[in-house]
Every structure is written in structure tokens, then in C-alpha cells.
Amino acid sequence: MAEGAVKLRCPICKKPVKSTDPDFPFCSERCRTIDLGKWASGQYVISSPVKDTEDEFGPESEAERPDDE
Ligand SMILES: [Zn+2]
């Protein structure tokens, strides 16, 4: 077992990568480029705001009103 070398897996191809690898955390420059391409093409979307369309059902719905006179 080598000391000081942490083994992780390439996030692209899942091959084991050593932390001492120049392309870490990727196994190769190819995988690094693929990852960059993913970001550039928008495959990694951090968050897309979902529009809330349930406003028409407000808390003041008249169906809840007691109807005893
Ligand atoms: Zn890889």
C-alpha cells in the first residue's frame, strides 16, 4: 500500500485514480475534458427554479366556511 496516495475513482469513467495523478481527480486529460464539456453543454444544472402555480388555491377558499344560520 502506497503511503500518501489516496485512491479515488474518476467521476467520468469510474477508474481508480491516485491523488498523485497530474489529472486528479480524473484519470486522464480525456476525462477532464469530458467533464468540462458537460459543464459547458449545461448537463450539470445547479438549480432550475420551479414556478409555483398553486396560487389559485389560496387559504381563503369559501368551501371551508361553516354554513349554519
Ligand atoms: Zn476517467
Side-chain angles (χ1 to χ4, degrees):
M1 213 186 248
E3 276 181 50
V6 180
K7 258 195 185 174
L8 288 179
R9 284 180 188 275
C10 171
I12 302 301
C13 69
K14 311 298 184 197
K15 262 176 29 178
V17 191
K18 280 185 250 173
S19 63
T20 49
D21 193 291
D23 288 310
F24 184 83
F26 305 101
C27 69
S28 64
E29 190 173 345
R30 187 174 152 269
C31 281
R32 182 195 293 275
T33 306
I34 290 172
D35 189 69
L36 277 174
K38 278 191 178 181
W39 280 98
S41 64
Q43 276 192 42
Y44 288 165
V45 180
I46 305 292
S47 67
S48 54
V50 179
K51 200 170 184 201
D52 194 354
T53 54
E54 291 181 39
D55 279 355
E56 50 191 298
F57 302 106
E60 292 174 53
S61 169
E62 292 193 30
E64 294 283 330
R65 207 158 53 183
D67 197 44
D68 52 337
E69 278 186 43

